[in-house]
Amino acid sequence: MNLLNTSSDFNQVFLLLMALALSALIGLERQARGKSAGLRTQAIVGMTAALMMLISKHGFMDVLAEGTVRLDPSRVAAQVVSGIGFLGAGIILTRHGAIRGLTTAATVWETSAIGMACGAGMWWLAVAGTCCHFAIIWVFSPIARFSRRLRAGHETILRVSYLQGEGVLRAVLAEITGGGWNVTKISSQAGEADGVVTAHIGISSGIRRETTGLVAAVSDIHSVYSVQELEEGMD
């Protein structure tokens, strides 16, 4: 069911632009959630994967000779999958020892597959894959959050950005523990030049509790720039 003649130059450009558009949709969703691989990363991955597929399928027609030269169009697809594996590993390993970034890495892998489907002319599979992505995010995410809250003790992660060198982290930890929360893990990363530190603080409670009040209290601390509650496993 290939409704497009992918050997046409116009149709090849059309498929490339379709890969760009579908990848950008996924990138917008990721960027809206504050993830590291956002609009530009996802768009580049999807568009480049489609470009490689189109080159693999149509880029060697001038050197083919009947019975002499034979090419396997699937060889580039296999190499794209291997290359995306390195990108995903890099996303996961740059989390300062914490196992985070798994969903972001999986999304980059997914975006490359959508781009490859467009490049192969299977645009209907690319559209279906994009729809499945949003179904997973919008339908499965609330189910995952609900299942986590059924466990004994509610766990969450706060991302706090603050000015370095003013004892802000101590004040933040005092506010958390003073509110009856337990600190389960903590990691921080200083900015390159602006003096802003971003800390990821894992907190838990023996009972199910809302974090709205805690987030508001931490936000009121002097030199705290922003506080965000992160969804565990949705990186």
Side-chain angles (χ1 to χ4, degrees):
M1 180 185 167
N2 195 340
L3 301 182
L4 291 175
N5 177 15
T6 56
S7 62
S8 165
D9 292 343
F10 172 80
N11 287 333
Q12 291 173 24
V13 174
F14 171 77
L15 292 172
L16 189 68
L17 294 177
M18 176 175 283
L20 176 63
L22 295 177
S23 303
L25 283 176
I26 296 176
L28 282 173
E29 179 273 322
R30 293 279 88 191
Q31 186 157 316
R33 289 174 175 264
K35 308 307 179 183
S36 55
L39 173 61
R40 292 179 298 176
T41 301
Q42 301 287 356
I44 289 173
V45 167
M47 183 274 296
T48 305
L51 182 61
M52 290 180 177
M53 282 295 295
L54 289 168
I55 293 173
S56 181
K57 288 182 63 178
H58 309 291
F60 307 98
M61 295 301 179
D62 58 331
V63 299
L64 291 177
E66 183 96 22
T68 304
V69 179
R70 295 183 180 179
L71 299 176
D72 177 13
S74 67
R75 69 198 183 285
V76 172
Q79 296 303 315
V80 170
V81 174
S82 300
I84 293 300
F86 284 101
L87 283 179
I91 292 172
I92 297 170
L93 293 177
T94 54
R95 292 293 180 169
H96 308 285
I99 303 177
R100 301 188 61 81
L102 292 175
T103 304
T104 298
T107 304
V108 172
W109 192 40
E110 170 195 52
T111 303
S112 69
I114 290 172
M116 290 166 64
C118 286
M122 306 172 73
W123 57 268
W124 60 94
L125 278 182
V127 173
T130 305
C131 293
C132 287
H133 168 82
F134 287 101
I136 292 170
I137 296 300
W138 291 339
V139 177
F140 289 4
S141 293
I143 296 175
R145 287 196 298 269
F146 177 75
S147 65
R148 285 197 299 269
R149 289 174 181 175
L150 291 179
R151 297 180 303 182
H154 175 63
E155 296 183 358
T156 189
I157 294 177
L158 297 181
R159 180 164 61 191
V160 183
S161 297
Y162 58 91
L163 186 63
Q164 188 177 21
E166 298 192 7
V168 180
L169 183 57
R170 287 194 297 270
V172 170
L173 295 178
E175 185 68 43
I176 292 172
T177 55
W181 294 85
N182 299 317
V183 177
T184 58
K185 55 187 174 182
I186 182 171
S187 64
S188 63
Q189 179 180 11
E192 295 181 356
D194 54 8
V196 176
V197 179
T198 299
H200 292 82
I201 305 173
I203 60 175
S204 66
S205 176
I207 59 175
R208 180 177 175 180
R209 304 173 59 186
E210 295 294 333
T211 58
T212 306
L214 177 62
V215 170
V218 173
S219 299
D220 289 337
I221 297 176
H222 178 66
S223 296
V224 170
Y225 294 149
S226 67
V227 182
Q228 182 182 5
E229 180 182 357
L230 301 181
E231 303 171 16
E232 280 194 289
M234 293 301 298
D235 296 323

